[in-house]
Amino acid sequence: MEKCNVALYGCGTVGRGVAEILLGHQAGITRSIGRGIRLACVVDKRVDELRKLPLLAGIPICSDLEAPINDPEIDIVIELIGGMETAGNITEKALKAGKNVVTANKALLANRADALFKLARQRGRSIGFEASVAGGVPIIATLRDSFVAETISSIFGIVNGTCNYILSRMTDEGVSYPEALAEAREKGYAEADPTLDVEGHDSAHKLAILARLAFGINVTDNDIYCEGISHINPADIAYAGSLGYKLKLLAIGRIKDDGVELRVHPTLLHRNHPLAVVDNSINAVCIHGQAVGEVTLTGLGAGAEPTAGAVVADVCRMALGVYQEDFRLLPVFGGTETIHCIPQEQIETKYYFRLSCMDRAGVLARVAGVLGEHNISIDSCIQQGRAHQDSGYVPVVFMTHRVKEENLLNALREINSLECIDGAESVMLRVAEI
Ligand code: HSE
């Protein structure tokens, strides 16, 4: 079989990892798939810098975005430029020119998957995007292949390595948030703009992609409730720990009778929950299928090597022609239905909240009164002695039973306005019930 020619757009951290695998493991790849893959060219604006890399010796490098797309020799375009506009244009043009595309661009797919998938299908081409969610964890392949006949009721997990790393370092070693974030950037986990990680947007992008495949629905990240970890106070990690919980940033998609819940937020997980022990940059995704029950996939979710491995796996499947069949046959790649997204205030779960209360008689009774009026039942409560505080206010931590978020928020609004509560200090976190 003829070699498959690949143009690599974007030779940053992941792009270099891809070049290393394609150039360093040629014989192994040919042996595995029965066809050679040739890195035909690299497209990147840093031409001079890249020409100095021994890795790319002999590989044509250019900054012309159009030439490889118009080159009839190129079979596959790997898009690792990131961002929306240029990456979107390259993807569209490549598909229109009859190329298959492999991308790790979760932001692009979270926003434009519907149009891009339809275009690929119309042109008899395909888009590989295993690397867009959870790095080296083969979650897209699992949903597309192993779960193709399943009715999936929920999919949830830890899909941002940067946030998981930061929360692990804060929890296990008492490292400060800025220090842990700097470490995550240093290790190559974070996005070029790390606010995408820490404000939850990266997880929301990934959840939009997962929900599309798992539930066959047309969603974008705008449909997803999104809250990040930048406001997390180490005190809450410690209180949660003393109640037997660990804090994780979860992405949650769940089909309900009246629509779908799609949300990303810091979540307290009981220490016995399988995701509670998933630490550092590890990602994990749990899928609930009607027939097979719960399946959890775990592995390295961020960093050059696992992500590059997922890109190359997609290239290989494309060289074999397998993806083109998926795009031709599977309805999820041709157009999906829109579904009602349940507003965040309508969800029901358990909650943790911390109040800064005046340490005097009757305060807890007033708080309990407001909670009772809003039909909120308390599961447990911790109050720390005044010896730890010099302000006259003491932290009091509550865990609720299951309640609608709207009720909890209304109650907290009322409680925060009581003269015996320092409302500016109040904190609310959701507790997993999954
Ligand atoms: N910034 C991402 C993360 C990289 O931390 O998970 C992988 O998508």
Side-chain angles (χ1 to χ4, degrees), residues 290-308:
Q290 211 168 56
V292 299
E294 188 165 299
V295 172
T296 302
L297 301 184
T298 312
L300 289 175
E305 286 173 1
T307 313

Side-chain angles (χ1 to χ4, degrees), residues 104 106 131-135 159-163 188-191 197 202 206 281 283 301-303 307:
K106 48 247 161 154
S132 65
V133 183
V159 291
N160 185 272
T162 301
C163 290
Y189 304 149
E191 299 297 300
D197 296 295
D202 179 78
K206 292 165 176 168
S281 70
N283 282 196
T307 313

Side-chain angles (χ1 to χ4, degrees), residues 95-96 99-100 113-127 323-336:
L95 292 169
K96 286 181 181 164
K99 319 292 182 202
N100 293 297
D114 198 45
L116 292 172
F117 286 1
K118 280 182 189 151
L119 176 62
R121 200 177 221 212
Q122 279 162 12
R123 303 287 167 144
R125 292 294 172 265
S126 56
I127 303 174
Y323 262 161
Q324 291 81 318
E325 281 303 282
D326 289 337
F327 263 70
R328 190 169 72 79
L329 297 172
L330 298 180
V332 74
F333 296 120
T336 45

